[in-house]
Amino acid sequence: MTPNGVGVAVRSRVRVRGGRSRSSPRPFGGAGWSPWLYLAPALVVLGGLLVYPLYQLGLISVFRYTQAQVSGGEPTAFVGLGNYSDVFSDDQFWSVLLATVLFAAACVVSTLAVGCALAVLLTRVRAVPRLALMLAALGAWATPAVTGSTVWLFLFDPDFGPVDRVLGLGDHSWTYGRYSAFFLVLLEVVWCSFPFVMVTVYAGIRAVPSEVLEAAALDGASQWRIWRSVLAPMLRPILTVVTIQSVIWDFKIFTQIYVMTGGGGIAGQNLVLNVYAYQQAFASSQYGLGAAIGVVTLLILLAVTLGYLRLLRRQGEEL
């Protein structure tokens, strides 16, 4: 070992008071803490907007908290897992949960299909049609959920809506039947959700080297084969993000169902978990029960997201 090397080795063993080497980063102001210092303002905001409400949601879910407790007429009583026991023993909860899962799955698949198809279309058209499609999609994305739901209700209105007249259905009511009402809401959800998928996937496609796509085309691959065998594997991290976002958004839908079905449809035939929790908490003044349903919804979303990420990690995907 050279003299310089010996000196470096000796100095690396020198310890300062407290047992920490001179080369170790300082706990405050060192390089290891710099990213956290930059993230601190955002973490504080997220803590106030997310952590504290979640804490309150979990806290209310373990108490008997009704209108009597809100008004101060009765003391708040700790019931532990009693609200959760009531939720899981309710047959309506399980039917609503099943309807929510199926409806969310249909929304996610439809949104991804439409968004990815239009993203590929954007790469095939010229600048002017591409700009028009982008502006139209971003306009749908920027429309508030209440406004969009009201517009779709008007379009499918049995008396004044143009859809029934164009299709020759007379005065058919789309919100009367359970499946037709869910289908109508699904159309609105896809309409306001596909722009995010389209823009994100389009940006990913533009980042793919053109030589790769040209080589696949020269080998005689069809457009569908290029997407399935070339683009989709390369865009898998992006598709993972948009899939998780779509699952979260579509699983916790509230506004579209509440507005377009009048609070859950006839006799609650179009209830989903968020609307069901709202009815239990505010319509029935069972705030603890509604909070318990909210906690269950949160845990389901966490389980689905973590399970999906774990599956991708097992397949060797970098996220």
Side-chain angles (χ1 to χ4, degrees), residues 10 34 48 95 101 111 118 133 148 174 258 269 278 285 292 296 301:
V10 172
S34 296
S95 63
V101 171
T111 301
L118 291 178
L133 180 57
W174 292 82
Y258 191 83
Q269 64 181 2
Y278 175 85
S285 298
V296 172
L301 288 176

Side-chain angles (χ1 to χ4, degrees), residues 93 96-97 100 251 271-278 293 297 300:
F93 167 78
V96 171
L97 176 61
T100 304
F251 196 86
L271 283 176
V272 293
L273 277 181
N274 270 1
V275 180
Y276 179 62
Y278 175 85
I293 299 173
T297 304
I300 292 174

Side-chain angles (χ1 to χ4, degrees), residues 109-300:
V109 172
S110 302
T111 301
L112 292 177
V114 174
C116 292
L118 291 178
V120 175
L121 178 63
L122 287 176
T123 63
R124 300 287 187 268
V125 297
R126 296 183 180 273
V128 175
R130 180 167 61 247
L131 178 61
L133 180 57
M134 292 281 286
L135 292 177
L138 292 177
W141 192 18
T143 303
V146 175
T147 304
S149 301
T150 304
V151 170
W152 277 82
L153 274 180
F154 170 75
L155 293 176
F156 288 84
D157 185 84
D159 298 322
F160 306 102
V163 174
D164 282 352
R165 296 184 181 183
V166 171
L167 298 179
L169 298 178
D171 56 352
H172 175 71
S173 177
W174 292 82
T175 59
Y176 183 79
R178 182 186 187 188
Y179 298 106
S180 61
F182 270 129
F183 177 73
L184 180 59
V185 178
L186 181 144
L187 293 178
E188 200 280 334
V189 171
V190 173
W191 175 76
C192 68
S193 301
F194 83 85
F196 171 75
V197 178
M198 182 190 74
V199 173
T200 306
V201 175
Y202 173 71
I205 294 175
R206 300 298 296 179
V208 175
S210 59
E211 295 81 3
V212 176
L213 302 179
E214 292 174 359
L218 290 176
D219 289 341
S222 62
Q223 294 298 327
W224 167 248
R225 184 62 183 271
I226 292 176
W227 166 260
R228 184 171 62 88
S229 302
V230 179
L231 286 177
M234 299 182 70
L235 297 176
R236 188 165 296 176
I238 294 178
L239 294 176
T240 299
V241 173
V242 297
T243 299
I244 293 175
Q245 290 279 9
S246 298
V247 169
I248 294 174
W249 289 341
D250 296 340
F251 196 86
K252 63 184 185 64
I253 280 178
F254 173 82
T255 304
Q256 290 89 341
I257 289 287
Y258 191 83
V259 172
M260 301 182 71
T261 64
I266 300 174
Q269 64 181 2
N270 296 113
L271 283 176
V272 293
L273 277 181
N274 270 1
V275 180
Y276 179 62
Y278 175 85
Q279 287 189 353
Q280 295 296 324
F282 296 100
S284 302
S285 298
Q286 299 288 335
Y287 303 108
L289 198 61
I293 299 173
V295 172
V296 172
T297 304
L298 174 64
L299 294 178
I300 292 174

Side-chain angles (χ1 to χ4, degrees), residues 56-63 83-84 87 277 280-281 286-297:
Q56 287 292 332
L57 183 70
L59 184 63
I60 294 175
S61 68
V62 296
F63 283 91
N83 289 323
Y84 295 93
V87 168
Q280 295 296 324
Q286 299 288 335
Y287 303 108
L289 198 61
I293 299 173
V295 172
V296 172
T297 304

